[in-house]
Amino acid sequence: MEKQINNVGRRKEAVARVYLSKGAGNITVNGKDYKNYFPLIYLQNQVELPFKTIGAEGQFDVKVNVKGGGPKGQAEAIKLGIARSLCELNAEYRPELKKAGLMKRDPRVVERKKFGKAGARRSFQFSKR
């Protein structure tokens, strides 16, 4: 069996375990083709972005297990996992991926709800009398 690289990508509450190997360009997410798993085109583009950045579309097979979060968080977690795996495979890809902003974990998460408030910051409607 040929070498398989695995890495993890995270975004919001989503965690993606990515397994990258040389192949024909098949991307499988939780046992489904990524185009079926992410029906929205912009989410498919997020998954493909690391390959487009280095010009390696159709050269690697990717198998992903992703859990938590919503579709957008999952797609962006997969994007980070693929970028990290490509850097591990070939260090020459790193400057291009870094310049495109694909090597950074997006730290933004939902702010927690506070007591005495309707949401994180929103107050209940004020009544003067």
Side-chain angles (χ1 to χ4, degrees):
M1 188 179 151
E2 78 171 64
K3 192 176 169 198
Q4 189 180 52
I5 295 169
N6 67 310
N7 259 300
V8 70
R10 293 187 184 89
R11 171 75 167 98
K12 295 185 176 182
E13 289 292 307
V15 181
R17 290 191 314 253
V18 175
Y19 302 91
L20 185 99
S21 58
K22 290 259 189 227
N26 300 322
I27 303 175
T28 312
V29 181
N30 290 354
K32 296 180 185 174
D33 183 59
Y34 79 107
K35 292 192 175 183
N36 293 334
Y37 193 84
F38 297 116
L40 299 173
I41 301 296
Y42 83 99
L43 294 178
Q44 294 173 14
N45 291 339
Q46 288 287 305
V47 174
E48 297 164 355
L49 193 61
F51 298 120
K52 287 180 180 171
T53 305
I54 60 165
E57 299 101 315
Q59 294 179 21
F60 299 99
D61 283 345
V62 183
K63 185 177 167 289
V64 183
N65 294 326
V66 64
K67 64 181 195 307
K72 185 172 179 7
Q74 288 187 349
E76 293 186 11
I78 292 168
K79 176 176 75 171
L80 177 62
I82 290 171
R84 284 178 172 174
S85 297
L86 287 169
C87 280
E88 200 173 303
L89 182 76
N90 187 348
E92 292 166 19
Y93 295 148
R94 188 171 176 86
E96 282 181 71
L97 292 168
K98 196 166 181 178
K99 190 177 176 201
L102 300 176
M103 293 305 296
K104 194 172 184 183
R105 192 245 195 247
D106 194 337
R108 297 175 296 172
V109 291
V110 176
E111 190 176 339
R112 83 180 225 23
K113 184 199 174 299
K114 278 72 162 194
F115 55 88
K117 296 276 188 174
R121 298 184 181 198
R122 187 183 188 283
S123 300
F124 295 108
Q125 186 171 346
F126 178 72
S127 171
K128 207 169 198 176
R129 44 184 83 70

